Amino acid sequence: VSSYHHGDLRRAVLDAALDVIATDGPAALSLRDLARRAGVSHTAPAHHFGDKAGLLTAVAVEGSDLLGETLADGPLELRELGVRYVRFALAHPAHFAVMYRPDLLRPDDPALVAARARTSALLRGALTTDRRDGNAPPGADTTSDPHGDADLAATAAWSLAHGFATLWRAGALTPALAGRDPEEVFRSLAGVLPA
Amino acid sequence: VSSYHHGDLRRAVLDAALDVIATDGPAALSLRDLARRAGVSHTAPAHHFGDKAGLLTAVAVEGSDLLGETLADGPLELRELGVRYVRFALAHPAHFAVMYRPDLLRPDDPALVAARARTSALLRGALTTDRRDGNAPPGADTTSDPHGDADLAATAAWSLAHGFATLWRAGALTPALAGRDPEEVFRSLAGVLPA
DNA sequence: TGTACATCAGTGAACGCGCGTTCACTGATGTAC
DNA sequence: TGTACATCAGTGAACGCGCGTTCACTGATGTAC
């Protein structure tokens, strides 16, 4: 193994970044520190990511794909999707912490736009299929439904799951629910949603 | 007016901080910059807040009280509380951005603990009254209900409002809902909640 | 199969910058008598 | 009502630090012929 070329510096820097973000948040990131952790000179990371926003954009791309995988792999009623969303957020806290921070990354980056489009197309397709199978909320137009009941229900489910995961991670919920399994708690919580 | 003493440097620094946070997020804060904005030497703010965590703790205290005021002033069904929570988050984005970031402030600070206790007592009291008035979710024990249906419903409402406000602020929702009034959107969204 | 060369990944010294913190200080305010 | 003094708010020079960025470079890899 040559010691001059790292082998997979890109991956190594990403992993170091995920580690730092999960522990101290995205604000604590420094390219020099990541280089140090990867055992490489401090200018090397710039070669792969340009700057900090580039690195965080790469994290968001990866997060979007991971989220897509997590959501796609299983049954697709709205409630179960929420459970999976919560699972993703707690299993990949660093990705989750970065994905919805347009101030920290480049929201218009082509790779990021593409990744988001992949996940959302996948999700839209799945939900449409599910509705056709008879799981539509009462009164929903199952063919095309812009801004209609089904879209509202999806937005509600997303908000519920996102809010729950965020509050849980912040420790805002735990006093009352300490020690319980977050997915299980969310599942009962999501009883408020239309099936 | 003497030019040596500022008059209300504490308020001036807080306002400058809120301005910076609303624009660039809490990570962009620097005590030196805030001192500059307040027209004061760069060591002066330390006198009032100690350090950055102290400043952000003060912001969170103020935010907690503002939230309490916003929630307390009006009718108290769960759905309307959600609407008011969203209103608070969008009207005071800087406070909202800081309040649930235990990594950035001192969660155990006595003033913060007290402020949170105030708001949550106020809210708990109000909800209990409301339930006694006959607005309890079906099956709820209206007298004492730890971890029961009513607590679950409250957590669901909180998660829904928190998630919606967060996603809205991140611009994640706006493609589909651009230009619409967020409170109005949330009100229809909250139709999924038990009354 | 071997050689030449372009490309790419990583180096390390140097720079300038803004930051937080310390320190001895000074100006204003308020309270005791 | 006036004076003395303690307390508090703000000053400004100095420091050391980690950061991102630039630059000329060197080592390894892969492709053309």
Side-chain angles (χ1 to χ4, degrees):
Chain A
V1 163
S2 86
S3 68
Y4 196 92
H5 282 92
H6 179 282
D8 198 354
L9 181 55
R10 186 186 152 85
R11 187 68 255 162
V13 170
L14 274 174
D15 287 341
L18 292 173
D19 193 39
V20 172
I21 296 169
T23 308
D24 297 320
L29 272 192
S30 117
L31 292 182
R32 279 178 107 112
D33 177 51
L34 298 179
R36 229 173 279 129
R37 285 164 181 256
V40 101
S41 87
H42 69 267
T43 47
H47 239 280
H48 294 274
F49 301 104
D51 56 13
K52 202 182 293 186
L55 169 62
L56 291 173
T57 300
V59 170
V61 167
E62 190 172 83
S64 186
D65 285 334
L66 278 169
L67 175 61
E69 286 170 29
T70 309
L71 293 183
D73 170 36
L76 288 160
E77 341 100 59
L78 223 39
R79 200 178 300 175
E80 183 60 19
L81 283 175
V83 172
R84 288 168 179 278
Y85 189 90
V86 170
R87 181 177 308 158
F88 165 78
L90 301 182
H92 302 284
H95 292 93
F96 185 69
V98 168
M99 290 173 64
Y100 302 101
R101 297 290 302 275
D103 52 319
L104 297 181
L105 42 79
R106 279 189 254 280
D108 297 334
D109 180 274
L112 181 54
V113 172
R116 286 182 168 157
R118 276 195 298 279
T119 299
S120 106
L122 185 156
L123 201 52
R124 199 178 349 263
L127 277 174
T128 304
T129 305
D130 187 56
R131 267 183 246 155
R132 282 215 194 88
D133 290 350
N135 291 319
D141 174 351
T142 43
T143 53
S144 131
D145 184 29
H147 297 198
D149 286 358
D151 266 28
L152 269 185
T155 304
W158 188 11
S159 296
L160 187 70
H162 190 87
F164 180 80
T166 304
L167 290 173
W168 185 279
R169 287 212 63 227
L173 256 26
T174 36
L177 304 165
R180 296 183 55 189
D181 172 42
E183 285 188 39
E184 179 212 316
V185 174
F186 180 80
R187 218 181 283 268
S188 38
L189 212 73
V192 303
L193 288 176
Chain B
V1 163
S2 85
S3 68
Y4 197 91
H5 282 91
H6 180 283
D8 198 354
L9 181 55
R10 187 186 151 85
R11 187 69 255 163
V13 170
L14 274 174
D15 287 340
L18 292 173
D19 193 39
V20 172
I21 295 168
T23 309
D24 297 319
L29 271 191
S30 118
L31 292 182
R32 279 178 106 112
D33 178 50
L34 298 179
R36 230 174 277 129
R37 285 165 181 256
V40 101
S41 88
H42 69 267
T43 46
H47 238 280
H48 294 274
F49 302 104
D51 57 13
K52 202 182 292 186
L55 170 61
L56 291 174
T57 301
V59 170
V61 168
E62 189 172 83
S64 186
D65 285 335
L66 278 169
L67 175 60
E69 288 171 27
T70 309
L71 292 183
D73 170 36
L76 289 161
E77 339 100 60
L78 223 40
R79 197 177 303 175
E80 182 61 20
L81 282 175
V83 172
R84 286 168 180 278
Y85 189 90
V86 169
R87 181 176 309 159
F88 165 78
L90 301 183
H92 303 283
H95 291 92
F96 186 68
V98 168
M99 289 172 64
Y100 302 101
R101 297 291 303 274
D103 53 318
L104 298 180
L105 41 79
R106 279 189 255 279
D108 296 334
D109 180 274
L112 182 54
V113 172
R116 285 181 168 158
R118 277 195 296 280
T119 299
S120 106
L122 184 157
L123 200 52
R124 197 178 347 265
L127 278 173
T128 304
T129 305
D130 187 55
R131 266 184 246 154
R132 283 216 193 86
D133 290 351
N135 292 319
D141 174 351
T142 43
T143 53
S144 131
D145 184 28
H147 297 199
D149 286 358
D151 265 28
L152 270 186
T155 304
W158 187 13
S159 296
L160 187 70
H162 191 87
F164 179 80
T166 305
L167 290 173
W168 185 279
R169 285 212 64 226
L173 256 27
T174 37
L177 305 165
R180 295 184 55 190
D181 172 42
E183 285 187 39
E184 179 212 317
V185 173
F186 180 79
R187 217 181 283 269
S188 38
L189 212 73
V192 304
L193 288 174

